[in-house]
Amino acid sequence: MADQSPPSTPLFAAFPKSSAADWAARARESLKGRSLESLPGETEDGLPREPIYSEASCAQLLHLQLVDPPGAVVEGELPAAWEIRQHPQCTEAAALGRELAWLAARGQRVLPLTLGRQVPRDGQALGRLLSGLPSGKAVVELEAGPEVALAHRLLGTLPGGPHVLLADWISPALIQGKHPLATTARDLAHLWAASNPEPLSASWLASGVTAHEAGASPAQELACWLACWTAGLRDLEEAGAPLEEALAGARHELAAGREVFDTMAKLRAARLLAARILEACGRPPEQRRIVLRVRGALRTQTRHDPWTNLLRATLQGFAAGVGGADSLHLPSMAEGLGQTDEQARRLAANTQVILQEEAHLARVADPGRGSWYLESLTAGMAEAAWSLFQDLESAGGWWAALVEGLPQGWIREAAERRAARLARRREALVGTSVYPNLAEKLPDWARDSHDPEAVASTGDDFAPLRPRRLAEELEALRRRGEAAATQGAGPVWLACCGPLRQHKARADFCRGLLAAGGWRSIQGEGAADGDLAAAAAFQSGAPVTILCSTDESYPELAPAFVAGLRRREGEAGRRPALILLAGHPPEQVDALRDAGVAGFLHVKGSMSDLFTQILHHVEVST
């Protein structure tokens, strides 16, 4: 019988070997004149992103020297698919019951529910809510927040099981800015110590999601998660719970963002960090694996062009799946807007099925393992997070650091940097900051959505970590722009000068930029000189006009345009229009401002500042 054993030749033996110099030469060829040295960048946490990685990049990474890094699948075992755990979004009882039945019918084993927001506070009402579920097949996971005793009583009324009680007294405290009550940890410790006749599993949550939604970078989120975990362990120990029970009962949760490699590295780094904590707690190597839940982030969801939220969730699902999530919730297109929609929920759930069954993401254990870039990023993120965690511990622990404002300061700075990148289009949100569509017809759940007003209180004990979408500021400015337009502010006039090739590129840029703020624009024909362009701008009656031409023409063109427009406005007794200029020639800025130009539209400028300037002028005039 012929030998059926696989060939022993290494997989890549047939390919010629390439040196680092060969790779660099090929990279330079692809750049078409741009230098290789111009490519390196940084992550949000200041970690370097090199253009080319090599085996030498990972030679000193300690985690690669382990035979089985934390979270690795043992050789010979098939990788397990992550658990699809979509959180129901409905709050009204009848709609929620239908949604739960839909999820259960499609194979979701554990059905998460939130006490207070979704679950009524009496057992009979809860029973009616779950009456449409298949008998004995669905397990309820009741997210109790700090109300462990009440959740325990409610779950005790349910048949089947074992149902799950999930306590989380830390996340609500972070959002409210108040220290949690010690009774929650005591109730959980008593529950573990008691013999419970009803089938019930009790656990608690250590989460970094609140920090992420408030604006934290990946390393900051990891540090805050570690701080929440250690703070919870201390609370439980003080309440009398054995360390063994507290460790075994912990469930861990992180967010999946839209940066695929950053999310993969973050989840992989979390397991390295958890192993270090568990080692310090005296756990043997085989017991240093954590149960890692992942939730798709809401902070990058947008109100405009909301269908791109589905694409963002798909990227989140990909990153979480290949990054090693044990369970995953992908947000629906409407979830970040505080809304719910049946189609949006169905698409979110089916996205996970497609990623598992059609993309086969769960067929390979740790697909990123061995990638020099990803391994370097994983190690760097773990080190950065551990350093931040040590800062929190040095401040006296999690709650003392919050009172001091230490993590809030990190997160605020990271959020401000991200918002600045968005405003300057260094970071893009399709449909919001780039490619806006003023003629789009939003679905009801997007059109009617409004973010909650910021609460003036800073919390009783410390500044809270409040969730905030990245698009909120630009969306608010766009709403104001659209409102001004409906009240007669009119479109912006693009005063173009010279032949088409002289003004087209800048006029197109201005049109797209203005649309992000809700402003329509009308483009004038290329005028031969500044005075003729001023005549056309005056005839338009627009409250805002933008001069579009070349840097070389502006020294002569701009003063003539401003003077011509102001003369005509004075003669007609009309309020002066806001005059802006497309471009930003550095050596001319002072002279152009002296000539009467109020601002500049350019690729490095802030959209937020521009729209605020236009709105101030238009709203004052109306």
Side-chain angles (χ1 to χ4, degrees):
M1 185 174 179
D3 184 9
Q4 299 296 318
S5 61
S8 59
T9 305
L11 180 61
F12 296 105
F15 295 90
K17 292 185 178 181
S18 299
S19 65
D22 295 332
W23 281 104
R26 283 298 186 92
R28 288 189 175 92
E29 288 177 14
S30 69
L31 292 175
K32 299 179 180 179
R34 186 179 175 188
S35 69
L36 190 62
E37 291 70 27
S38 67
L39 292 183
E42 288 186 347
T43 69
E44 284 190 286
D45 295 297
L47 303 176
R49 293 192 199 271
E50 301 296 339
I52 298 178
Y53 287 81
S54 67
E55 189 173 3
S57 307
C58 300
Q60 303 301 319
L61 300 184
L62 296 179
H63 74 276
L64 293 182
Q65 299 174 18
L66 302 176
V67 176
D68 291 310
V73 173
V74 178
E75 186 175 355
E77 290 185 358
L78 291 176
W82 70 87
E83 181 184 0
I84 297 176
R85 188 174 292 196
Q86 289 298 117
H87 290 242
Q89 298 304 303
C90 296
T91 55
E92 191 273 324
L96 178 57
R98 290 192 297 271
E99 186 178 359
L100 290 171
W102 187 88
L103 290 171
R106 279 150 185 82
Q108 182 163 320
R109 185 181 64 87
V110 178
L111 301 173
L113 290 170
T114 304
L115 182 62
R117 189 175 73 88
Q118 294 174 315
V119 173
R121 295 174 178 272
D122 72 90
Q124 290 184 346
L126 178 59
R128 289 193 298 270
L129 177 65
L130 303 174
S131 59
L133 299 181
S135 178
K137 292 186 178 181
V139 173
V140 174
E141 179 182 79
L142 186 54
E143 298 178 357
E147 298 184 272
V148 171
L150 174 59
H152 176 228
R153 289 197 300 272
L154 291 174
L155 288 176
T157 66
L158 298 181
H163 300 296
V164 181
L165 185 155
L166 182 64
D168 181 11
W169 62 96
I170 299 177
S171 298
L174 298 180
I175 296 173
Q176 297 165 4
K178 298 178 180 179
H179 286 121
L181 297 175
T183 54
T184 306
R186 286 201 299 269
D187 289 342
L188 189 58
H190 293 160
L191 186 59
W192 284 333
S195 56
N196 300 296
E198 69 276 2
L200 175 66
S201 171
S203 55
W204 65 283
L205 188 65
S207 176
V209 172
T210 301
H212 180 93
E213 298 294 8
S217 68
Q220 291 170 358
E221 179 186 351
L222 287 171
C224 292
W225 157 66
L226 288 175
C228 289
W229 186 14
T230 53
L233 290 174
R234 289 177 178 131
D235 289 347
L236 288 167
E237 281 198 296
E238 290 178 6
L243 180 61
E244 179 80 17
E245 293 277 5
L247 289 173
R251 299 295 178 265
H252 304 271
E253 184 179 65
L254 293 171
R258 62 177 182 159
E259 294 292 341
V260 171
F261 285 103
D262 285 1
T263 296
M264 290 172 61
K266 179 174 67 178
L267 300 184
R268 299 172 86 250
R271 297 199 182 278
L272 298 177
L273 294 166
R276 190 165 186 178
I277 293 287
L278 292 170
E279 181 183 12
C281 293
R283 312 301 292 170
E286 66 274 11
Q287 296 181 20
R288 294 176 190 169
R289 193 183 189 282
I290 58 172
V291 177
L292 185 56
R293 304 172 177 216
V294 179
R295 293 185 71 112
L298 300 179
R299 75 182 187 193
T300 55
Q301 290 204 333
T302 60
R303 175 175 176 264
H304 295 284
D305 200 359
W307 304 103
T308 55
N309 292 334
L310 179 63
L311 301 179
R312 295 182 184 110
T314 303
L315 287 177
Q316 293 168 353
F318 175 88
V322 299
D326 292 311
S327 69
L328 174 62
H329 165 79
L330 287 185
S332 74
M333 296 181 292
E335 188 172 336
L337 305 174
Q339 302 289 320
T340 184
D341 175 81
E342 183 177 355
Q343 181 189 34
R345 297 192 303 270
R346 178 177 59 82
L347 289 173
N350 288 344
T351 296
Q352 291 210 54
V353 176
I354 292 171
L355 290 173
Q356 286 190 356
E357 302 298 330
E358 296 188 25
H360 302 293
L361 294 189
R363 300 257 177 178
V364 178
D366 196 5
R369 187 175 182 184
S371 162
W372 293 324
Y373 166 56
L374 186 59
E375 297 292 7
S376 297
L377 185 59
T378 298
M381 199 172 289
E383 291 172 2
W386 188 260
S387 177
L388 292 173
F389 171 62
Q390 288 179 313
D391 291 342
L392 295 173
E393 289 293 286
S394 298
W398 183 228
W399 302 114
L402 286 166
V403 172
E404 184 181 321
L406 183 59
Q408 297 96 319
W410 300 341
I411 293 170
R412 182 174 58 254
E413 290 175 3
E416 289 173 352
R417 288 194 299 268
R418 195 177 300 111
R421 290 197 302 272
L422 179 67
R424 288 171 170 77
R425 307 211 300 185
R426 296 293 183 272
E427 187 167 329
L429 287 176
V430 174
T432 299
S433 65
V434 295
Y435 309 119
N437 178 12
L438 291 177
E440 71 177 334
K441 294 183 179 180
L442 295 174
D444 292 342
W445 50 262
R447 184 176 61 251
D448 299 335
S449 66
H450 292 284
D451 290 290
E453 295 292 332
V455 181
S457 171
T458 59
D460 293 340
D461 301 318
F462 52 83
L465 298 180
R466 292 200 175 94
R468 182 176 176 83
R469 289 186 304 112
L470 183 56
E472 282 183 27
E473 181 182 8
L474 287 179
E475 288 177 354
L477 290 170
R478 179 166 172 173
R479 281 196 294 270
R480 288 175 60 188
E482 291 169 343
T486 60
Q487 294 169 8
V492 174
W493 179 259
L494 302 181
C496 299
C497 292
L500 188 65
R501 66 177 180 276
Q502 183 171 321
H503 63 256
K504 184 179 187 305
R506 281 182 166 168
D508 290 346
F509 169 78
C510 291
R511 186 180 297 106
L513 187 63
L514 290 167
W519 296 99
R520 291 192 307 107
S521 56
I522 297 178
Q523 182 175 333
E525 296 182 3
D529 57 46
D531 190 65
L532 290 175
F538 175 79
Q539 188 66 30
S540 74
V544 179
T545 184
I546 302 173
L547 184 60
C548 301
S549 191
T550 61
D551 290 354
E552 295 75 16
S553 67
Y554 283 149
E556 179 181 352
L557 187 64
F561 175 80
V562 174
L565 182 56
R566 292 292 184 246
R567 185 182 72 252
R568 290 174 173 83
E569 289 169 339
E571 292 172 354
R574 184 189 297 176
R575 185 177 186 274
L578 177 67
I579 299 176
L580 305 173
L581 183 138
H584 188 261
E587 69 283 355
Q588 300 180 38
V589 168
D590 292 340
L592 290 169
R593 287 194 180 277
D594 291 341
V597 174
F600 303 86
L601 283 75
H602 57 103
V603 293
K604 294 184 179 180
S606 167
M607 288 192 294
S608 300
D609 293 345
L610 170 68
F611 299 152
T612 300
Q613 182 183 23
I614 293 175
L615 285 165
H616 177 73
H617 177 83
V618 170
E619 290 173 346
V620 168
S621 65
T622 55

